[in-house]
Amino acid sequence: MNELRLQRALKLLTESSASARLISDIALEVGFSDVSHFNRLFRARFGDSPRGVRCARRDPS
């Protein structure tokens, strides 16, 4: 269950239209009520924080 929610969050974080959305809003949308827990699970699964993934997507270098 967490895997599906994390995959959805990753998709939302990397969409160009999502750059104005708060990470906490995305976490809540995919079903995490605790943003800190979401951040820990996200980092453990993808090796970077949600913010790091979002910033890396914007900066292709």
Side-chain angles (χ1 to χ4, degrees):
M1 182 69 148
N2 280 341
E3 178 64 23
L4 294 175
R5 294 189 291 169
L6 290 169
Q7 289 291 336
R8 176 75 176 136
L10 177 65
K11 183 176 185 291
L12 291 172
L13 285 165
T14 56
E15 289 177 347
S16 59
S17 61
S19 63
R21 296 181 64 195
L22 296 174
I23 291 171
S24 58
D25 289 343
I26 291 173
L28 291 171
E29 180 179 329
V30 300
F32 290 96
S33 57
D34 182 341
V35 177
S36 295
H37 181 65
F38 165 71
N39 285 332
R40 283 191 300 275
L41 289 177
F42 192 95
R43 182 182 294 274
R45 172 62 180 89
F46 298 113
D48 200 358
S49 67
R51 183 170 189 253
V53 167
R54 176 181 272 176
C55 291
R57 177 59 72 159
R58 281 194 224 149
D59 181 18
S61 57

